[in-house]
Amino acid sequence: MTLKTMRRYLLLAALITVLLTQTVSGAADVTDIHSPDFPEYLDSFNPQNNTLDYIKYIQLLMELLSSANKSELFSELISNETTRENLSNLINMMKTSGDLKNAHQAETLLNYSSLSVDELLQGIKNEHLAELLREAFLNGLVSEELLRVIEEMYASGEISFDDYVRALYALQKISESSGNKELAKRIDSLLLTLLMNNLTNSALRLLENPATLDYLLKEGLSKEVLENMLQFLSNSPEHSEEALRTLRRLLGGESPFSISSIPSIRFPSLGMFALAPSLVVDPNTLAILTLFVTGFVLVSILLFLKRRKISVIISQVTQLISRRTYHFNSVVVNIYWSSVDLLGRRVQRNSNETHREYLNKVSSEMPEVSELFRDITEAYEKVRWGAQNESTFVEKVVKEFDELRRTVSRV
Amino acid sequence: MGWVDVIQKASEILVEKDDEVKLILASILAEGHVLIEGVPGIAKTLMAKTVAKLLGLEFKRIQMTPDLLPTDIIGGYVYDTKQASFVLKKGPVFTNVLLVDEINRGSPRTQSALLEAMQERQVSIEGQSFPLEKPFIVIATQNPIEFEGVFPLPEAQLDRFLAKIDSTYTSMEGLKKILKEIDLIEERFNGLKPVMSRDEVLASIKEVRSIRVDDAIYDYVTRIVEETRRHPAVRLGASPRAGIALVRLAKALAYINARNYVIPDDVKSLAKTVLSHRIIIKPEYEVSGIHPHKVVEDIIAKVEVPKP
């Protein structure tokens, strides 16, 4: 196989990888915000950002969290005009601070409440979910079971947050119109939980950074607010223990993470590529796809090596490595090969050439060194192949090698 | 007087045959037999006779024909009317140097009898074994251009020849020298005196065995033999016997060149002589003109010379 053919194989493998990645990215959970799973707090705080009042930001967050905690339903919470305005302001602050993901989610929760069922269904990107909902609504199959299926789809990463919220609102509206008040209420409560999670995540994102905490405390934010937040989170069953531990560490003056962070480079997400496809595709499918692509590349490489004769390649590599390390316990022999290296820059020695053949080649191409190299070669032959005692040759050969070096540098 | 002197003396009679004489001498020292392939009239017989004379060895010649019987070579019991009993009449095989002219003209049965004697270095007559004299070397010749009335040697029998020499015509200068000096050459041949004795030859054969062969040389020979089996054009590669032959001949060549050790050059220069006749080329490569010589050349060019 030529290098050209090898390049073709590799190009084909690369194209297949890109196509597969494109297919995976279709699951639509890829946002245009940041690489998934990257600690976002690293650039979330910028005290030079004069357009953002961090004290107001955290107070607003705490206020909204308290209101949400007192409410039982999402509709109840946003029916209050002040709360609605506060939420809108907070969303703007989130965007200013760079917390685009939480801003987007809060905005989704806030804005989709006013859309009709048709508008909601039309906006769903996951075809399977859209079809499922349409069929369920047409056949009047609006039930807890359907809600459970939607929740499972979201939990498994099959559908995006956007689709999930649309589906919940659509199901809530149909439930209300069909008289299933209990289901509608359950969904309303679920939406409230989503908003609370969203607000808490935003607060944690801001407070995870010790620099932000320092700044806020220096600027006059009372520790009480943070302690209230810790109290609030402790009472909320929807929040993980990890989040609580983080906040406790912050209040205790420790680093938010139990282990030191590793310096890394952050890349903005590319809209068309799924940088963490495991979030949006079944891990087994992903493993099979990866195996397929890896296998294809490996087979291509093996075919290439087979064609080029692997033994030849190995011998060439070995020869290259061993060029200057002879590991032969003899001064004469090592001097001979050093001479060959020295002369090899002018008269190349082929691996199939014997020492006598190379001597003839050197004699015809570099007659200036012919005599010196002849003596060194003869000594080498006697010591290497004749196993003669080298002590009688060493002194002479060392002198001749020095002379050879000088002669070669002059020529 | 040594082996270099034998070559020197032979060159006074044989024009441009130094390499071939050297190979025959090496074969004698390695206790092997030689097959010379060449057209008639290129001094094959003269070469064998000259070598035998110079080494003080007994020389006999057999002209192979299709009706030649094994007993014509090895001998047999014949009825002696005077003694009124069967007496043993030894064949020409009981000699030191046996020239078998046009070996491929002999019937397979006769060829087998001869080749058995070459291998075993003894012959059986009427159930009784007779060892052949030492040294014993067969120099067989065959004509490469005749295909009618010949019985080509099977591969197994070709393998028994230590070396195969492709003898060619002399150059124009060489031919001119022969034409000018033929009377002198004949005179020199008739007056040729042995340079060595049979005992000295036997002592040399013994000395050859002690020639030093480095482990790397064995590796080199092994790789060359192994490559003959991997070459894409080869149907049947060289046998272990081929490897043994290559090492033995290399030792003998080193001895003739007054060295007590083998160098890679010895192996390289002998590879074609030792391996070519033991390799069988695939028919599809044969028709496209690939010759065993070319295969061995490829292999020699490919296999790395031992380093350091």
Side-chain angles (χ1 to χ4, degrees):
Chain A
M1 188 190 290
T2 60
L3 199 63
K4 203 175 169 184
T5 322
M6 181 65 195
R7 276 206 300 267
R8 274 188 207 147
Y9 274 112
L10 286 173
L11 185 64
L12 189 63
L15 280 173
I16 288 172
T17 313
V18 170
L19 284 172
L20 289 172
T21 316
Q22 278 282 52
T23 312
V24 169
S25 70
D29 199 44
V30 180
T31 70
D32 56 350
I33 303 162
H34 293 299
S35 304
D37 302 331
F38 193 84
E40 292 178 6
Y41 79 87
L42 283 180
D43 69 349
S44 65
F45 172 64
N46 179 11
Q48 305 302 321
N49 186 353
N50 296 325
T51 56
L52 183 65
D53 184 344
Y54 280 96
I55 301 283
K56 194 176 177 192
Y57 185 10
I58 197 78
Q59 280 173 341
L60 211 51
L61 261 172
M62 195 56 227
E63 202 175 306
L64 274 166
L65 276 167
S66 298
S67 305
N69 196 34
K70 284 170 194 162
S71 306
E72 285 187 359
L73 301 171
F74 182 73
S75 55
E76 190 189 315
L77 179 73
I78 59 167
S79 61
N80 185 320
E81 200 54 45
T82 317
T83 311
R84 201 180 172 87
E85 201 182 319
N86 281 345
L87 188 57
S88 293
N89 288 338
L90 183 70
I91 290 167
N92 287 335
M93 283 181 159
M94 284 176 179
K95 285 179 181 172
T96 311
S97 76
D99 188 7
L100 296 178
K101 186 181 173 185
N102 285 317
H104 172 72
Q105 289 187 353
E107 208 165 28
T108 304
L109 286 165
L110 188 64
N111 295 342
Y112 286 1
S113 60
S114 57
L115 296 180
S116 69
V117 174
D118 280 345
E119 283 171 331
L120 288 165
L121 291 180
Q122 276 168 12
I124 292 176
K125 287 174 190 164
N126 188 300
E127 287 176 13
H128 178 58
L129 176 67
E131 199 177 331
L132 179 77
L133 290 173
R134 275 195 198 97
E135 276 191 22
F137 295 164
L138 278 174
N139 299 316
L141 299 170
V142 179
S143 62
E144 288 273 345
E145 183 63 22
L146 183 60
L147 178 62
R148 196 181 59 75
V149 170
I150 294 168
E151 283 185 298
E152 277 179 7
M153 285 175 88
Y154 178 62
S156 67
E158 198 178 333
I159 58 172
S160 65
F161 183 81
D162 193 81
D163 280 359
Y164 178 51
V165 174
R166 279 175 184 273
L168 289 180
Y169 272 123
L171 188 58
Q172 189 199 23
K173 285 177 195 295
I174 293 288
S175 306
E176 271 174 357
S177 60
S178 63
N180 193 341
K181 299 281 180 196
E182 201 177 321
L183 182 61
K185 202 175 170 184
R186 168 110 199 273
I187 295 168
D188 209 349
S189 168
L190 195 61
L191 289 166
L192 181 67
T193 311
L194 286 177
L195 181 70
M196 284 170 73
N197 284 346
N198 178 247
L199 296 175
T200 314
N201 287 339
S202 184
L204 279 175
R205 177 184 173 276
L206 193 67
L207 298 173
E208 269 173 355
N209 192 343
T212 316
L213 186 66
D214 276 354
Y215 174 80
L216 290 172
L217 292 173
K218 277 178 194 164
E219 287 296 310
L221 180 77
S222 75
K223 223 173 176 178
E224 206 178 308
V225 176
L226 296 174
E227 280 164 358
N228 282 344
M229 186 170 275
L230 177 66
Q231 186 67 33
F232 168 76
L233 292 175
S234 305
N235 294 333
S236 168
E238 303 294 334
H239 292 94
S240 69
E241 278 302 309
E242 182 57 37
L244 293 177
R245 276 198 293 275
T246 307
L247 199 54
R248 280 193 196 106
R249 273 199 295 272
L250 280 165
L251 288 168
E254 295 172 26
S255 163
F257 292 105
S258 53
I259 55 165
S260 307
S261 61
I262 301 161
S264 51
I265 302 167
R266 177 173 176 176
F267 295 99
S269 298
L270 298 173
M272 60 188 291
F273 292 112
L275 295 179
S278 60
L279 295 175
V280 289
V281 75
D282 174 36
N284 291 333
T285 315
L286 187 70
I288 291 166
L289 290 174
T290 313
L291 275 174
F292 175 76
V293 175
T294 313
F296 187 82
V297 172
L298 279 175
V299 167
S300 304
I301 292 168
L302 284 173
L303 277 173
F304 169 74
L305 291 176
K306 195 186 169 195
R307 292 280 177 88
R308 290 291 305 266
K309 290 195 177 172
I310 194 160
S311 57
V312 176
I313 293 171
I314 289 170
S315 72
Q316 282 173 349
V317 171
T318 315
Q319 194 193 343
L320 200 69
I321 292 166
S322 65
R323 192 169 175 196
R324 287 180 186 277
T325 50
Y326 306 116
H327 307 298
F328 202 83
N329 191 22
S330 161
V331 176
V332 173
V333 172
N334 289 333
I335 283 180
Y336 170 76
W337 286 105
S338 299
S339 308
V340 172
D341 282 342
L342 184 70
L343 296 169
R345 295 169 204 159
R346 309 280 179 89
V347 186
Q348 200 190 346
R349 178 191 171 271
N350 299 322
S351 63
N352 66 336
E353 275 175 345
T354 65
H355 58 284
R356 287 192 177 195
E357 286 169 338
Y358 186 61
L359 171 65
N360 291 338
K361 205 164 146 184
V362 170
S363 299
S364 64
E365 292 185 32
M366 290 180 76
E368 306 87 352
V369 297
S370 173
E371 279 306 308
L372 288 168
F373 190 57
R374 183 178 303 280
D375 289 347
I376 294 171
T377 304
E378 280 172 7
Y380 160 76
E381 183 183 294
K382 284 171 184 164
V383 172
R384 175 66 185 89
W385 303 109
Q388 290 184 19
N389 190 341
E390 70 169 355
S391 58
T392 50
F393 304 102
V394 171
E395 199 180 343
K396 191 174 174 229
V397 164
V398 169
K399 277 181 190 167
E400 280 167 340
F401 180 60
D402 282 343
E403 184 61 31
L404 183 75
R405 268 201 300 215
R406 279 196 293 275
T407 313
V408 169
S409 63
R410 275 201 307 271
V411 176
Chain B
M1 298 288 258
W3 292 82
V4 179
D5 302 310
V6 177
I7 298 166
Q8 157 63 32
K9 282 277 176 194
S11 69
E12 291 173 8
I13 295 160
L14 303 159
V15 179
E16 295 179 356
K17 297 286 177 191
D18 287 6
D19 290 343
E20 291 166 33
V21 170
K22 200 182 254 189
L23 282 171
I24 293 172
L25 295 177
S27 298
I28 292 171
L29 287 169
E31 295 184 277
H33 310 286
V34 184
L35 178 64
I36 305 176
E37 193 170 88
V39 293
I42 52 170
K44 297 191 291 281
T45 310
L46 183 66
M47 191 154 54
K49 277 184 181 174
T50 306
V51 168
K53 262 193 171 185
L54 287 169
L55 297 179
L57 301 173
E58 193 184 340
F59 172 83
K60 280 181 185 165
R61 178 172 183 263
I62 303 169
Q63 177 63 52
M64 289 289 244
T65 55
D67 58 352
L68 200 75
L69 294 171
T71 47
D72 296 331
I73 293 171
I74 62 174
Y77 285 95
V78 291
Y79 189 74
D80 188 338
T81 47
K82 284 181 188 170
Q83 293 179 26
S85 65
F86 284 94
V87 290
L88 178 66
K89 190 168 189 286
K90 288 182 177 177
V93 77
F94 289 91
T95 186
N96 295 126
V97 179
L98 177 67
L99 177 69
V100 183
D101 248 340
E102 296 184 283
I103 190 170
N104 52 343
R105 284 197 175 279
S107 67
R109 192 176 160 211
T110 314
Q111 286 176 1
S112 295
L114 175 68
L115 292 163
E116 193 185 339
M118 286 162 60
Q119 181 67 21
E120 306 298 329
R121 292 177 189 277
Q122 65 172 28
V123 289
S124 297
I125 303 168
E126 300 287 329
Q128 199 180 345
S129 294
F130 296 92
L132 298 175
E133 269 193 81
K134 280 190 175 180
F136 173 66
I137 176 175
V138 171
I139 301 173
T141 69
Q142 66 176 15
N143 187 337
I145 56 163
E146 284 193 56
F147 296 101
E148 284 182 16
V150 294
F151 303 93
L153 292 174
E155 284 76 25
Q157 295 189 346
L158 276 173
D159 199 28
R160 291 171 201 278
F161 285 99
L162 189 75
K164 179 171 170 252
I165 302 169
D166 287 306
S167 192
T168 53
Y169 290 120
T170 51
S171 65
M172 283 175 71
E173 291 77 22
L175 178 61
K176 192 177 169 186
K177 189 180 177 192
I178 292 168
L179 297 176
K180 278 169 75 177
E181 298 178 4
I182 185 65
D183 294 335
L184 183 64
I185 288 170
E186 282 178 356
E187 208 174 290
R188 279 182 193 152
F189 177 74
N190 291 331
L192 206 59
K193 295 274 181 277
V195 173
M196 300 177 92
S197 68
R198 181 174 160 271
D199 289 342
E200 282 175 322
V201 174
L202 288 173
S204 293
I205 289 172
K206 210 173 172 184
E207 282 174 26
V208 165
R209 289 182 195 148
S210 61
I211 293 287
R212 182 178 187 277
V213 183
D214 192 89
D215 210 45
I217 296 285
Y218 288 119
D219 283 342
Y220 187 43
V221 173
T222 307
R223 276 184 281 132
I224 290 171
V225 171
E226 192 68 28
E227 281 299 322
T228 64
R229 297 166 198 166
R230 289 183 185 165
H231 197 282
V234 173
R235 183 158 68 86
L236 184 72
S239 63
R241 188 188 281 160
I244 295 166
L246 190 50
V247 172
R248 281 192 178 161
L249 209 57
K251 284 165 96 172
L253 191 65
Y255 183 81
I256 290 170
N257 289 329
R259 264 185 284 114
N260 61 355
Y261 52 87
V262 173
I263 56 173
D265 299 74
D266 296 327
V267 175
K268 209 171 171 182
S269 67
L270 291 167
K272 223 193 280 184
T273 310
V274 176
L275 301 176
S276 295
H277 64 288
R278 301 169 200 260
I279 289 172
I280 302 173
I281 303 291
K282 285 178 186 164
E284 62 268 31
Y285 285 88
E286 211 167 0
V287 291
S288 63
I290 300 289
H291 192 272
H293 279 179
K294 172 76 176 68
V295 171
V296 179
E297 276 168 14
D298 284 353
I299 291 166
I300 291 298
K302 184 183 168 190
V303 176
E304 271 183 49
V305 166
K307 190 179 176 183

